[in-house]
Amino acid sequence: MASCKSPNEQYYLKDDQLLHQVSIRDKLGQEEGGLQELFYDLMVTEFVLPDSILVSQIDKIILHKQKFILFDKNLSLLLVFDPNGYFIGKIGELGLGPGQYQGIKDFSVWEDTLTIFSTADLRLFQYSLTDLEFLGSYKIEFFGNSMIQLSNNEFMFYINHNPSDFVKDKNVLYYNKNTGETKTFFPYDHSKSNAIIPFSGFISKQGNEVYFSLPFDDKVYVFDQEKLDFFLKYKTDNVNDFVFANRGDFQKFLFGGLFQDPANGVSVLGNVFLKNDNYLVFSYYLNGRLYYGIYSLVSNGFKTFSKGFENDISFKLVGDPMILNTENELIFISNSETIEYFRKQGGIEESFFGKMFKDLDSVNSLYLLKMKIKPF
């Protein structure tokens, strides 16, 4: 994680960019009555896994040219499916041979090339998405938490809680593997701002744009690839003065009880940020509880939901929303093990999601859930 930027560092607003104030403070804890008030047109696609492949949980999904790439970070698995749920194959494998890696920290896609970021190997591994074949690897000199590919040669890394001699005290690194050019952004004090739980702050690629937010901050920046700089794009009003006064010391803020105490009214952005032309969808914490917000860029309206819906267990069946497409559809992922667990607990068939699972009996499947946001 990273702390706030220094007082002397500024990121400017481009002339053709309007700073959008996201006003949500008064509605942060007001959940809707149920999912049927937020979404419609629910669809489920079953991804059947080969018997030889087991997953723990899916942490990231990219949809690229009619291929779904699913990432299991715990097991360093990258799986590829077609839109109908047919298993195409996996990307690389663990090992020390050609095209093999010792672990996957993150991955990104540009055109028909998929790049793996491995901190265990300190290398970038590239594969063809056409035939899933290994293309080559490149040595790097830094650790990090997340990676985004900007072009065939350019990458952006969220260094987060991994300071090193190469990046020193900066939080974001731009890197061109062909020219060796680098540029760093957002300084932080790693003697105080050092944690291993990246639940607040994010770097996110939505369409052709890259967005970044520091942990415990109220600002979202967009990256200008031509000027190689960040510019302020969105500002929220959900972070209070208490957070700003204490966020510089992670140990105090996270482990000293300040974050969990309801009396402090702590509200911060999480690490989920999705965007299309009509909506922002993001996670946030309010008094230690995780929520998800849907903000309309058209009407400036705001609605919120959480896994704690009392009258519907649906969001206990899935993880974070992972994709917001151009059709205003949110995409989630679940698995047969989770579905079977809650089926035994009871109540699943009456839930918004559960109606779709009542006749499914697969034992090694993933389920892609897609539902459309109701306009508001």
Side-chain angles (χ1 to χ4, degrees), residues 58-201:
I58 300 301
D59 302 281
K60 180 177 178 178
I61 301 174
I62 289 180
L63 172 59
H64 182 77
K65 294 184 177 180
Q66 299 301 305
K67 290 180 180 177
F68 283 99
I69 303 109
L70 280 61
F71 177 38
D72 183 333
K73 192 171 185 177
N74 289 336
L75 300 180
S76 289
L77 272 177
L78 277 171
L79 308 174
V80 184
F81 295 84
D82 75 5
N84 297 316
Y86 176 76
F87 178 70
I88 297 174
K90 64 177 184 177
I91 304 289
E93 60 183 354
L94 293 171
L96 299 173
Q100 297 179 329
Y101 39 77
Q102 297 182 70
I104 304 176
K105 179 63 70 170
D106 198 4
F107 81 101
S108 189
V109 172
W110 176 262
E111 295 182 342
D112 291 321
T113 300
L114 181 145
T115 302
I116 286 174
F117 173 35
S118 172
T119 53
D121 299 276
L122 283 178
R123 299 189 77 87
L124 302 178
F125 296 84
Q126 295 194 309
Y127 302 81
S128 167
L129 274 178
T130 303
D131 54 15
L132 310 188
E133 292 296 318
F134 176 58
L135 299 176
S137 67
Y138 307 88
K139 184 69 176 176
I140 55 176
E141 298 178 321
F142 46 86
F143 296 96
N145 191 66
S146 303
M147 176 197 69
I148 287 173
Q149 190 163 358
L150 303 172
S151 72
N152 285 330
N153 307 313
E154 300 169 287
F155 301 84
M156 185 77 70
F157 296 89
Y158 187 6
I159 303 304
N160 209 336
H161 54 270
N162 287 297
S164 68
D165 291 338
F166 186 85
V167 295
K168 299 187 183 300
D169 59 350
K170 296 295 181 69
N171 198 240
V172 174
L173 169 70
Y174 163 87
Y175 172 66
N176 187 311
K177 71 176 178 62
N178 275 10
T179 66
E181 179 184 6
T182 62
K183 189 173 182 180
T184 54
F185 309 89
F186 301 102
Y188 70 106
D189 182 353
H190 57 75
S191 66
K192 293 183 178 180
S193 303
N194 201 354
I196 61 173
I197 311 173
F199 66 87
S200 179

